[in-house]
Amino acid sequence: EAAVTQSPRNKVAVTGGKVTLSCNQTNNHNNMYWYRQDTGHGLRLIHYSYGAGSTEKGDIPDGYKASRPSQENFSLILELATPSQTSVYFCASGPQDTQYFGPGTRLLVL
Amino acid sequence: GEQVEQLPSILRVQEGSSASINCSYEDSASNYFPWYKQEPGENPKLIIDIRSNMERKQIQELIVLLDKKAKRFSLHITDTQPGDSAMYFCAASAGATGGNNKLTFGQGTVLSVIP
């Protein structure tokens, strides 16, 4: 299975603060994705990317930005964090439609 | 966009029996259907997938069936063991033919295998 890493693994942020979640993959996958997972909502797509320099809006992009500076790295940015963004965030990567998930980041916004 | 419905949301079975999870989708362009297993506190892991050129696929105790006409697919776990207890997600994608490689996930099924 492809290796995807995320950092940090846990994060506590204050309301109104800026939060950056990082994702790295060394499998040379073109596609990378950011999801959040909340009880009762399953996995919801926030942003995704087809390659370095590209970002696309997913199903719930409001309040989030994404950056893909290289093939390996894909970041999720919360410019002004809110308590409603408390969640578990998963990054995934893959060739074409297959996706492999990272270990997740638990974010708590106080 | 694509919608995927997954049922049941909770499934309890006796050890050694079979468990079945059903999903339906709306977009006839969907051609890739993966299944993920997620244990508490862990990430979703791909356990089996099927593409639209197949109707059945089996990996050990996992069987996936695809009915393109009815737009339904299902996961069957035979001879369940306590280690099969987890959350299971189905997903669908139209892949490159749909213009993107997004997966649309079902809401998940919590499977409990009772010893």
Side-chain angles (χ1 to χ4, degrees), chain A residues 4-102:
Chain A
V4 180
T5 59
Q6 293 182 231
S7 63
R9 295 295 312 279
N10 294 279
K11 173 75 177 178
V12 179
V14 296
T15 298
K18 182 177 181 178
V19 177
T20 300
L21 306 183
S22 300
C23 179
N24 177 272
Q25 55 94 7
T26 56
N27 304 291
N28 200 32
H29 290 159
N30 287 331
N31 301 327
M32 297 186 75
Y33 310 81
W34 276 107
Y35 294 88
R36 64 178 284 176
Q37 185 174 35
D38 305 286
T39 303
H41 288 281
L43 289 155
R44 293 185 289 174
L45 182 64
I46 306 170
H47 284 288
Y48 59 104
S49 169
Y50 292 132
S54 94
T55 60
E56 306 287 339
K57 292 182 179 179
D59 300 321
I60 53 163
D62 293 346
Y64 302 93
K65 291 184 180 178
S67 174
R68 182 88 181 269
S70 65
Q71 180 80 340
E72 296 79 19
N73 295 296
F74 190 36
S75 297
L76 186 68
I77 303 149
L78 291 65
E79 295 278 5
L80 295 169
T82 68
S84 65
Q85 293 176 312
T86 292
S87 187
V88 179
Y89 291 86
F90 287 102
C91 174
S93 77
Q96 299 182 333
D97 42 22
T98 305
Q99 295 184 24
Y100 302 96
F101 284 81

Side-chain angles (χ1 to χ4, degrees), chain B:
Chain B
E2 174 67 289
Q3 302 270 351
V4 175
E5 183 176 2
Q6 181 174 348
L7 292 170
S9 54
I10 299 172
L11 180 59
R12 292 167 59 92
V13 301
Q14 210 69 36
E15 181 179 354
S17 66
S18 295
S20 297
I21 304 171
N22 300 293
C23 290
S24 61
Y25 61 99
E26 294 185 354
D27 189 353
S28 57
S30 288
N31 56 20
Y32 175 63
F33 308 92
W35 288 88
Y36 288 84
K37 176 182 180 181
Q38 185 178 26
E39 300 189 65
E42 299 289 318
N43 57 344
K45 292 180 173 61
L46 179 65
I47 55 173
I48 191 169
D49 56 13
I50 191 167
R51 295 192 180 273
S52 57
N53 60 350
M54 300 177 70
E55 294 179 349
R56 183 183 191 276
K57 183 174 180 178
Q58 181 167 2
I59 298 176
Q60 297 180 329
E61 80 280 6
L62 303 176
I63 300 170
V64 173
L65 302 177
L66 173 62
D67 183 342
K68 289 177 288 185
K69 203 170 185 180
K71 296 182 187 173
R72 297 185 185 207
F73 58 112
S74 56
L75 174 68
H76 306 271
I77 306 173
T78 61
D79 189 23
T80 54
Q81 300 298 311
D84 294 322
S85 296
M87 172 80 85
Y88 291 81
F89 290 99
C90 65
S93 170
T97 60
N100 62 64
N101 292 309
K102 291 169 52 178
L103 284 176
T104 300
F105 284 86
Q107 292 300 300
T109 296
V110 177
L111 172 63
S112 297
V113 179
I114 306 161

